[in-house]
Amino acid sequence: QVQLVESGGGLVQAGGSLRLSCVASGRVFSNYVMGWFRRAPGKERELVGRTSTTGDSSYYAEFVKGRFTISRDNAKNTAYLHMNNLKPEDTALYYCAAALYGSGPNFGYWGQGTQVTVSS
């Protein structure tokens, strides 16, 4: 089992920045692909981006490209979501998720989420 705990959410004005953190415990963190997802009110959960086990390769959804960056520190068992130039439409509950490398495309472990609210 992998336990994930997010933090760093909050209220920010449009154009501002936030950094979300996701601390993992329970297994070898560097064996897991890490992803960030979000769910806005009234919408389905969507993938924001994901990063490889080493952090050398990342994928981002089109709507965050150039604004959000995912990084990870395997020595600290922590993944990050750096969010810049935030927009009101970025308001959502943000989740981190983990997938064991080689186990397939589905993320099997999820955090509880941290709320991000962007005011206009």
Side-chain angles (χ1 to χ4, degrees), residues 16-120:
S17 300
L18 281 175
R19 187 186 76 168
L20 306 184
S21 299
C22 173
V23 179
S25 61
R27 287 290 186 266
V28 179
F29 182 65
S30 58
N31 288 342
Y32 289 81
V33 173
M34 296 302 296
W36 285 94
F37 293 76
R38 71 185 188 185
R39 176 176 285 161
K43 295 187 177 181
E44 296 290 320
R45 185 176 64 196
E46 59 187 354
L47 175 66
V48 173
R50 61 178 181 265
T51 192
S52 63
T53 56
T54 61
D56 290 343
S57 176
S58 296
Y59 162 84
Y60 298 96
E62 195 64 35
F63 55 80
V64 301
K65 279 184 179 178
R67 299 189 300 125
F68 292 10
T69 303
I70 297 174
S71 65
R72 64 190 295 163
D73 185 339
N74 286 347
K76 295 182 177 180
N77 291 350
T78 303
Y80 303 97
L81 179 64
H82 307 263
M83 305 185 293
N84 296 316
N85 191 22
L86 283 160
K87 305 175 181 180
E89 51 264 42
D90 293 318
T91 294
L93 188 62
Y94 283 73
Y95 301 87
C96 68
L100 181 64
Y101 178 75
S103 67
N106 295 322
F107 288 85
Y109 303 97
W110 295 82
Q112 294 299 306
T114 185
Q115 178 67 38
V116 172
T117 303
V118 185
S119 63
S120 58

